Amino acid sequence: GENVEQHPSTLSVQEGDSAVIKCTYSDSASNYFPWYKQELGKRPQLIIDIRSNVGEKKDQRIAVTLNKTAKHFSLHITETQPEDSAVYFCAVMDTGRRALTFGSGTRLQVQP
Amino acid sequence: NAGVTQTPKFQVLKTGQSMTLQCAQDMNHNSMYWYRQDPGMGLRLIYYSASEGTTDKGEVPNGYNVSRLNKREFSLRLESAAPSQTSVYFCASSEQTGTGAGGYTFGSGTRLTVV
């Protein structure tokens, strides 16, 4: 099956700074890479996704970049705000199981 | 339009007891999934159902069974609960299997404690 590694496990930034979370994966055939945000006690919610036919996608303050050759992708959050504080999960579509394999999560704290 | 509904929200079981977690979606999605979430380990796939009438094992299926009752409902059963099954369980659904089309919609989760 797919193997997904996510770094860092915790990240603390000052309000207004940028945050970057990185994930690597093992299956070169994987073609779908979503990111989820989970607030404390809540369900994970999709915030952005990218498919293997594009290298970058932006949605306001968040962006995802994909390097298929190196098998890694990253989440970029600019101008961070306290409400960005949450756990972020990357995921990769496992082409064998046809289901998402998730990274272990990054706890982002934005200090006001 | 409720999305994905899970019941119960909380449950405490004694070791050896059985229970069924219920999940229903009203989005006409073909695929449904059960994940468990443990601290520091992300979400791990237990079982999934690509379409009505099919189920497949995920990464951590031992100790669980599932039933895809119809297109809307996908239940998870613990036949003999063990403390290692203490976790938060999430049900999810998606429009298509393997393509990620539309991403996953998650239920609100079931916090299960086995004592």
Side-chain angles (χ1 to χ4, degrees):
Chain A
E2 181 71 80
N3 184 41
V4 181
E5 295 192 0
Q6 182 172 347
H7 300 282
S9 57
T10 61
L11 180 59
S12 182
V13 300
Q14 291 295 124
E15 183 175 358
D17 286 351
S18 296
V20 181
I21 303 169
K22 299 181 179 179
C23 286
T24 61
Y25 61 97
S26 58
D27 184 359
S28 57
S30 297
N31 57 11
Y32 177 63
F33 309 89
W35 285 88
Y36 287 82
K37 176 183 181 182
Q38 186 179 30
E39 296 176 347
L40 190 62
K42 302 282 183 67
R43 74 193 77 189
Q45 294 201 304
L46 178 70
I47 55 171
I48 196 168
D49 57 12
I50 193 167
R51 299 182 190 279
S52 59
N53 57 342
V54 296
E56 183 176 1
K57 183 177 179 181
K58 285 185 179 179
D59 183 2
Q60 298 182 357
R61 295 186 298 107
I62 61 173
V64 56
T65 57
L66 172 64
N67 183 328
K68 283 225 75 181
T69 303
K71 291 188 282 188
H72 68 71
F73 59 111
S74 300
L75 177 71
H76 303 254
I77 305 173
T78 59
E79 300 172 24
T80 53
Q81 300 168 3
E83 52 264 39
D84 294 329
S85 296
V87 178
Y88 292 80
F89 292 96
C90 63
V92 178
M93 181 57 69
D94 184 326
T95 54
R97 290 201 179 102
R98 299 181 298 162
L100 290 176
T101 297
F102 286 82
S104 54
T106 296
R107 183 174 300 277
L108 173 65
Q109 275 192 305
V110 180
Q111 308 288 348
Chain B
N1 190 339
V4 179
T5 302
Q6 273 185 250
T7 56
K9 292 192 184 302
F10 301 93
Q11 184 71 49
V12 178
L13 289 179
K14 293 182 178 178
T15 298
Q17 286 186 318
S18 63
M19 78 162 294
T20 299
L21 282 65
Q22 307 286 354
C23 177
Q25 52 94 7
D26 61 4
M27 297 171 287
N28 202 36
H29 284 171
N30 289 313
S31 304
M32 297 184 74
Y33 313 84
W34 278 104
Y35 285 83
R36 60 177 287 173
Q37 184 174 32
D38 302 293
M41 300 186 75
L43 294 108
R44 292 183 293 167
L45 182 67
I46 305 171
Y47 271 93
Y48 66 101
S49 172
S51 60
E52 186 179 355
T54 68
T55 61
D56 287 285
K57 294 179 180 180
E59 181 185 354
V60 289
N62 291 344
Y64 306 95
N65 284 300
V66 291
S67 296
R68 183 75 182 265
L69 304 169
N70 47 55
K71 191 170 186 179
R72 291 187 63 248
E73 298 172 286
F74 187 38
S75 62
L76 178 72
R77 182 161 179 84
L78 286 70
E79 290 290 353
S80 178
S84 60
Q85 295 178 303
T86 294
S87 189
V88 179
Y89 292 84
F90 285 100
C91 176
S93 70
S94 70
E95 190 174 326
Q96 293 180 26
T97 300
T99 67
Y104 281 12
T105 299
F106 282 91
S108 57
T110 297
R111 185 173 296 275
L112 175 67
T113 302
V114 183
V115 298

